[in-house]
Amino acid sequence: MTYLRTLATMALTVLMLCCITSCDQEPNSNSSKDQLDSLQLAGTRWAGRVVEEYQDGDRIDRGPYEIVFFTPSRGQVAFPIDKTLSVDKKDFTVTAYFQYKVDSYEISFTTNLPELVSYENISACKKYLVGKWLVRKATNDEIILCRDPRSETIITLKRVER
């Protein structure tokens, strides 16, 4: 009987030590959702590039793409005008105010810009902002967004310090 009592006491002691050490550790989460949920976007500024990859192997790198999150639901973006425009306008950017919502593994953007700008700029707005973007990576220093897992349009943003 003494042997069983000693064995049970040792097992209980080991179990308690394991519980104590595991409670002291910070949770480890590498999922995009947890990274995005813990990231405070309000009051931050980001800059980066838009990369479009085509099935024929061509790759177009556009930028600069800049975004500011003013509040937990509003911000402003500046993005390159669509490549299909005339050569003299390829270096111009469109600036738009937007509303956003973080939901699970994605960010959804809406704006009233299409109603306010000329037709030639609407395609750039829809392509580089409006809609849902999946979050591939979200840290305090970098955000990578794409339209879907097979996406050909990827936005990579780095945090800009003021």
Side-chain angles (χ1 to χ4, degrees):
M1 209 45 137
T2 309
Y3 175 73
L4 288 174
R5 185 176 297 176
T6 305
L7 189 60
T9 303
M10 287 176 51
L12 186 58
T13 304
V14 169
L15 180 63
M16 289 178 62
L17 286 174
C18 289
C19 290
I20 290 170
T21 54
S22 68
C23 289
D24 289 341
Q25 297 175 356
E26 290 187 25
N28 182 13
S29 176
N30 292 325
S31 77
S32 298
K33 176 192 182 319
D34 293 335
Q35 292 172 6
L36 189 62
D37 288 345
S38 66
L39 186 62
Q40 297 296 321
L41 292 176
T44 62
R45 182 176 178 201
W46 303 78
R49 313 285 301 168
V50 176
V51 175
E52 292 181 272
E53 296 178 358
Y54 297 96
Q55 292 181 1
D56 64 1
D58 287 345
R59 180 181 174 149
I60 297 174
D61 187 349
R62 283 200 186 85
Y65 186 107
E66 297 180 25
I67 191 165
V68 177
F69 296 95
F70 297 130
T71 70
S73 63
R74 296 190 180 275
Q76 184 179 26
V77 66
F79 51 87
I81 289 180
D82 198 335
K83 68 179 173 89
T84 59
L85 299 179
S86 62
V87 176
D88 63 328
K89 293 184 180 180
K90 283 189 176 183
D91 293 331
F92 287 94
T93 60
V94 174
T95 302
Y97 291 99
F98 62 84
Q99 297 80 40
Y100 72 99
K101 180 181 176 189
V102 177
D103 183 31
S104 195
Y105 297 93
E106 62 190 23
I107 299 179
S108 299
F109 294 97
T110 57
T111 183
N112 60 355
L113 181 64
E115 300 164 8
L116 302 176
V117 297
S118 64
Y119 177 76
E120 62 187 17
N121 298 336
I122 293 173
S123 63
C125 177
K126 288 181 181 176
K127 194 168 198 173
Y128 304 128
L129 178 67
V130 174
K132 292 183 180 183
W133 290 88
L134 295 177
V135 178
R136 283 192 178 173
K137 181 178 181 181
T139 67
N140 286 329
D141 299 320
E142 183 177 43
I143 298 174
I144 300 175
L145 306 173
C146 64
R147 285 288 187 195
D148 63 56
R150 308 173 314 265
S151 185
E152 289 124 5
T153 304
I154 299 168
I155 298 173
T156 303
L157 301 168
K158 302 278 185 186
R159 190 174 195 151
V160 177
E161 297 298 324
R162 291 187 178 215

